[in-house]
Amino acid sequence: MTIFPTESLHRVADLDSFLATPPDHTREPFRRLAEQLHATAPDTDPDATRPAVATLIAALRTSRGKHTALLAILLGMIAESSDESLRAAVHDGLPDYLDIARTRAGDNYALALALAYLLAHFAEDREAILVHTASLPLDAGDYARIERCLAPLNPDDPELTRVWPEPRHWRALPDTARELDRQWMRQVPPEQMRLAYHLDTRSLLAYAGAKALWTVEHGSTVTGPDPDLRLPPANPNGHRTRLGDHLAALRCPKCTGALAGDGDTVSCASCGEFPVVDGTVDLSLGAGDAHEPMTRNVPLCYSEIRPAFLRWKGSNWDGAVTVEDEDEYLRTHVQPADGPILDLGAGTGRWTAVLADTFGAERVIALDLSAAMLEHVRRGLPQVLRVRGNALSLPFNDGSLGAVNCWNALQSMPDPAAVVAEVGRCLRPGGTFTLMTFRPAVDPIYRALQTAPFGLVPVALSAPQDLRQWLAAAGMSVWEQYTPGSFLFVTAVREPR
Ligand SMILES: C[S@@+](CC[C@H](N)C(=O)[O-])C[C@H]1O[C@@H](n2cnc3c(N)ncnc32)[C@H](O)[C@@H]1O
């Protein structure tokens, strides 16, 4: 056990009031303490924080219950710093953390999660940490997550982007799928491999920290896959497409001229033919090709990734927003003017199916930049026209679409303001734009964990006031805004031009 002589400890003003607060009232004092220690800043200021770390470790040792768990999370957040001296200062408390894990976390899931999050920062002590955490009351996924955070990079099988929300789902994929991944991973240059591995670790840590914070402050969490998101079975008519109904809305992505075709071919009189692959019209001009190998197996883990992503980014740890709620929102808020209904960033098509059920498949177009995603739309919804295209430059004529839906996708698109501008350009007056995305959490501690990277995939949270400005600039007015947790559900209406 590390011994810190009390007289040498740096005084942390807000620590005393935090420690003196009863467990039910720790919320505000804990946030003041975290703020005083700059723990929620994107990169904690080492000089301001380092002197306080030994004091926090000493307090962790003598505190009890919820206070201990919150201090462990705070120390974990400080260890996130890219400043090695700060991380090393937190590492000095390792014997205490292991001792607490061994003696005090036996039946306390919240404390176990908090300690696991903290300990997962110290890969150099992997063996000792795994021994001590093996008896913690963690679930198999929590444990697999720590194990991966502590594991050294294996360049022969680096599992890049294949570990979140926990590695077991990815390791359970069929050998053929795993081999496909290994093929592209082998091509990644060593430096990029190290960066990608590091970013994967950061997202696992952030997820673990967010889960720990939620559990300590609110109690149990909903975890696991959502069976409602399983991929639809393959449909024997999977190649059928309905290009004819939508030709008037589509335009050439190069010259913006008219397109002609019959579903097997699509062409522009000036720019020539565009690829049609298994009935999916490719108007992407190659924009998504670089990411395609990385995306290919994502649909196979979708029922695990998506609910976990909503828990983390949407603060949906209590499952307050259900898949049924999402379906209901679309059924009641999509109100199309004449013209096709676009599902923008359709993914595997789970919500395209809701639009197709509500308005008829022949009216719906699924657009995504990923061929792998659209392949799953094809399997389940062969009657829906699939367009591989770029949200930043939509291949549709001005005022040609009856409604646009962008569901859990704006955050993954590189320039959300530009996407909203494109939606406004393509929407017909009176048509709705429905959107589900995420806003930065109001709580600065949760926000610091929420905004950590999602591996290599950029994620941009949208502040409601920014979104309103983008919508107004694109000729749309907000009809309804709903913000449970840190979700952002918005329905806007295209105004007359
Ligand atoms: C998180 S998925 C959401 C899928 C689905 N709507 C859902 O709710 O689960 C986001 C989708 O946006 C797509 N996407 C990302 N950037 C895009 C872009 N620039 N243009 C079109 N689609 C894009 C991705 O390929 C991905 O399928």
Side-chain angles (χ1 to χ4, degrees):
M1 166 130 18
T2 320
I3 304 293
F4 296 101
T6 319
E7 61 277 13
S8 73
L9 290 179
H10 177 84
R11 182 137 197 291
V12 182
D14 286 314
L15 180 60
D16 299 340
S17 58
F18 165 69
L19 292 170
T21 308
D24 286 350
H25 296 89
T26 49
R27 192 182 158 82
E28 290 317 316
F30 181 56
R31 274 139 189 87
R32 278 198 297 277
L33 176 62
E35 198 180 326
Q36 193 199 352
L37 296 174
H38 310 275
T40 57
D43 209 357
T44 310
D45 174 2
D47 294 334
T49 307
R50 198 184 310 101
V53 171
T55 313
L56 286 184
I57 296 170
L60 180 87
R61 209 165 40 227
T62 52
S63 60
R64 283 286 168 270
K66 188 174 176 184
H67 289 91
T68 312
L70 289 172
L71 287 172
I73 293 171
L74 186 57
L75 283 160
M77 292 179 73
I78 295 171
E80 289 283 308
S81 170
S82 57
D83 180 87
E84 188 42 41
S85 71
L86 198 47
R87 207 193 71 89
V90 180
H91 179 259
D92 283 345
L94 184 68
D96 293 301
Y97 314 149
L98 294 178
D99 187 52
I100 295 169
R102 201 179 55 243
T103 57
R104 286 167 42 194
D107 56 356
N108 186 335
Y109 185 49
L111 179 57
L113 284 173
L115 288 167
Y117 165 62
L118 170 58
L119 288 165
H121 286 84
F122 306 118
E124 62 272 47
D125 293 287
R126 174 182 163 82
E127 300 309 325
I129 293 171
L130 290 181
V131 167
H132 283 75
T133 48
S135 57
L136 286 179
L138 297 170
D139 69 33
D142 299 322
Y143 193 73
R145 206 173 292 121
I146 316 182
E147 211 177 8
R148 163 57 187 81
C149 288
L150 297 172
L153 167 66
N154 171 6
D156 294 327
D157 189 10
E159 300 185 311
L160 305 181
T161 73
R162 296 296 184 253
V163 291
W164 197 93
E166 49 128 323
R168 290 178 316 154
H169 310 316
W170 297 97
R171 292 177 188 156
L173 289 185
D175 285 347
T176 43
R178 298 204 73 201
E179 190 44 40
L180 265 179
D181 279 339
R182 289 194 188 103
Q183 278 168 18
W184 69 260
M185 285 173 200
R186 283 186 199 114
Q187 320 288 322
V188 178
E191 198 165 317
Q192 281 180 34
M193 194 183 273
R194 278 194 293 277
L195 175 67
Y197 194 80
H198 168 76
L199 291 175
D200 280 345
T201 310
R202 300 247 76 75
S203 16
L204 287 173
L205 285 169
Y207 183 83
K211 180 176 177 181
L213 181 66
W214 176 279
T215 310
V216 172
E217 296 199 321
H218 301 275
S220 63
T221 58
V222 174
T223 49
D226 196 324
D228 205 13
L229 300 183
R230 280 201 198 109
L231 295 173
N235 186 314
N237 299 321
H239 287 245
R240 197 146 47 87
T241 189
R242 311 275 305 209
L243 183 65
D245 298 345
H246 300 307
L247 267 178
L250 285 163
R251 76 180 195 185
C252 172
K254 281 189 188 158
C255 73
T256 74
L259 292 177
D262 56 12
D264 292 324
T265 61
V266 173
S267 60
C268 160
S270 315
C271 305
E273 280 213 5
F274 290 96
V276 180
V277 183
D278 289 342
T280 297
V281 182
D282 188 346
L283 302 177
S284 66
L285 305 176
D289 289 355
H291 298 285
E292 201 53 40
M294 207 171 86
T295 316
R296 213 172 298 141
N297 285 333
V298 169
L300 304 180
C301 279
Y302 212 57
S303 62
E304 308 276 359
I305 300 172
R306 190 181 190 275
F309 190 77
L310 267 57
R311 288 194 279 272
W312 180 31
K313 298 296 180 188
S315 313
N316 201 34
W317 295 98
D318 54 354
V321 174
T322 63
V323 168
E324 291 73 30
D325 295 334
E326 295 183 53
D327 294 352
E328 186 59 16
Y329 190 95
L330 287 186
R331 283 195 210 99
T332 50
H333 287 74
V334 176
Q335 298 198 7
D338 281 350
I341 299 168
L342 175 68
D343 194 14
L344 175 58
T348 59
R350 169 61 183 72
W351 282 271
T352 320
V354 176
L355 298 175
D357 281 350
T358 312
F359 299 101
E362 67 291 343
R363 210 169 158 194
V364 177
I365 302 175
L367 182 141
D368 204 286
L369 199 50
S370 159
M373 291 291 183
L374 290 169
E375 167 57 14
H376 287 278
V377 180
R378 179 186 73 77
R379 287 162 53 108
L381 296 167
Q383 323 83 303
V384 166
L385 175 65
R386 299 165 308 277
V387 176
R388 190 172 182 205
N390 188 352
L392 292 168
S393 169
L394 288 173
F396 299 101
N397 290 312
D398 295 3
S400 61
L401 299 173
V404 178
N405 175 53
C406 184
W407 212 240
N408 175 34
L410 191 69
Q411 71 282 346
S412 336
M413 296 176 174
D415 182 349
V419 173
V420 172
E422 274 295 87
V423 171
R425 177 183 69 73
C426 298
L427 254 185
R428 208 163 266 186
T432 52
F433 175 35
T434 41
L435 181 76
M436 186 271 267
T437 188
F438 307 94
R439 65 195 171 100
V442 175
D443 171 16
I445 301 193
Y446 192 85
R447 191 166 64 235
L449 296 161
Q450 179 202 27
T451 49
F454 182 41
L456 283 172
V457 184
V459 176
L461 308 176
S462 294
Q465 61 274 25
D466 291 342
L467 185 63
R468 278 175 181 265
Q469 276 182 13
W470 303 335
L471 289 165
M476 292 180 273
S477 55
V478 174
W479 170 34
E480 201 255 13
Q481 177 182 299
Y482 172 52
T483 55
S486 42
F487 285 88
L488 184 50
F489 289 81
V490 173
T491 303
V493 180
R494 182 67 171 95
E495 284 152 8
R497 283 159 204 279

